[in-house]
PDB file of all heavy atoms in Angstrom:
ATOM      1  N   ALA A 133     -21.328 133.616-107.042  1.00  0.00           N
ATOM      2  CA  ALA A 133     -20.018 133.209-107.557  1.00  0.00           C
ATOM      3  C   ALA A 133     -20.110 131.866-108.278  1.00  0.00           C
ATOM      4  O   ALA A 133     -19.513 131.690-109.350  1.00  0.00           O
ATOM      5  CB  ALA A 133     -19.004 133.128-106.424  1.00  0.00           C
ATOM      6  N   ALA A 134     -20.862 130.935-107.720  1.00  0.00           N
ATOM      7  CA  ALA A 134     -21.002 129.611-108.343  1.00  0.00           C
ATOM      8  C   ALA A 134     -21.712 129.703-109.689  1.00  0.00           C
ATOM      9  O   ALA A 134     -21.371 128.989-110.638  1.00  0.00           O
ATOM     10  CB  ALA A 134     -21.754 128.664-107.409  1.00  0.00           C
ATOM     11  N   SER A 135     -22.681 130.587-109.777  1.00  0.00           N
ATOM     12  CA  SER A 135     -23.475 130.680-111.013  1.00  0.00           C
ATOM     13  C   SER A 135     -22.748 131.409-112.135  1.00  0.00           C
ATOM     14  O   SER A 135     -23.117 131.263-113.295  1.00  0.00           O
ATOM     15  CB  SER A 135     -24.800 131.380-110.724  1.00  0.00           C
ATOM     16  OG  SER A 135     -24.601 132.760-110.487  1.00  0.00           O
ATOM     17  N   LEU A 136     -21.728 132.175-111.802  1.00  0.00           N
ATOM     18  CA  LEU A 136     -21.060 132.992-112.812  1.00  0.00           C
ATOM     19  C   LEU A 136     -19.645 132.521-113.131  1.00  0.00           C
ATOM     20  O   LEU A 136     -18.819 133.302-113.581  1.00  0.00           O
ATOM     21  CB  LEU A 136     -21.031 134.461-112.354  1.00  0.00           C
ATOM     22  CG  LEU A 136     -22.401 135.116-112.230  1.00  0.00           C
ATOM     23  CD1 LEU A 136     -22.276 136.492-111.600  1.00  0.00           C
ATOM     24  CD2 LEU A 136     -23.075 135.206-113.585  1.00  0.00           C
ATOM     25  N   ASN A 137     -19.377 131.253-112.895  1.00  0.00           N
ATOM     26  CA  ASN A 137     -18.048 130.754-113.245  1.00  0.00           C
ATOM     27  C   ASN A 137     -18.207 129.607-114.235  1.00  0.00           C
ATOM     28  O   ASN A 137     -19.279 129.034-114.376  1.00  0.00           O
ATOM     29  CB  ASN A 137     -17.268 130.334-111.993  1.00  0.00           C
ATOM     30  CG  ASN A 137     -17.625 128.952-111.516  1.00  0.00           C
ATOM     31  OD1 ASN A 137     -17.184 127.974-112.098  1.00  0.00           O
ATOM     32  ND2 ASN A 137     -18.419 128.864-110.469  1.00  0.00           N
ATOM     33  N   GLY A 138     -17.123 129.284-114.895  1.00  0.00           N
ATOM     34  CA  GLY A 138     -17.150 128.204-115.872  1.00  0.00           C
ATOM     35  C   GLY A 138     -16.285 127.030-115.491  1.00  0.00           C
ATOM     36  O   GLY A 138     -16.079 126.131-116.302  1.00  0.00           O
ATOM     37  N   ARG A 139     -15.777 127.022-114.271  1.00  0.00           N
ATOM     38  CA  ARG A 139     -14.932 125.918-113.834  1.00  0.00           C
ATOM     39  C   ARG A 139     -15.679 125.092-112.803  1.00  0.00           C
ATOM     40  O   ARG A 139     -16.185 125.615-111.818  1.00  0.00           O
ATOM     41  CB  ARG A 139     -13.629 126.450-113.229  1.00  0.00           C
ATOM     42  CG  ARG A 139     -12.661 126.941-114.271  1.00  0.00           C
ATOM     43  CD  ARG A 139     -11.362 127.461-113.736  1.00  0.00           C
ATOM     44  NE  ARG A 139     -10.800 126.744-112.613  1.00  0.00           N
ATOM     45  CZ  ARG A 139      -9.570 126.953-112.151  1.00  0.00           C
ATOM     46  NH1 ARG A 139      -8.780 127.848-112.733  1.00  0.00           N
ATOM     47  NH2 ARG A 139      -9.118 126.295-111.112  1.00  0.00           N
ATOM     48  N   ARG A 140     -15.715 123.792-113.043  1.00  0.00           N
ATOM     49  CA  ARG A 140     -16.445 122.891-112.130  1.00  0.00           C
ATOM     50  C   ARG A 140     -15.854 122.891-110.726  1.00  0.00           C
ATOM     51  O   ARG A 140     -16.582 122.813-109.748  1.00  0.00           O
ATOM     52  CB  ARG A 140     -16.450 121.481-112.696  1.00  0.00           C
ATOM     53  CG  ARG A 140     -17.281 121.351-113.939  1.00  0.00           C
ATOM     54  CD  ARG A 140     -17.280 119.905-114.442  1.00  0.00           C
ATOM     55  NE  ARG A 140     -17.869 119.866-115.772  1.00  0.00           N
ATOM     56  CZ  ARG A 140     -17.171 119.765-116.888  1.00  0.00           C
ATOM     57  NH1 ARG A 140     -15.842 119.686-116.846  1.00  0.00           N
ATOM     58  NH2 ARG A 140     -17.775 119.735-118.057  1.00  0.00           N
TER      59      ARG A 140
END
Side-chain angles (χ1 to χ4, degrees):
S135 72
L136 295 172
N137 82 77
R139 285 181 38 170
R140 291 182 191 102

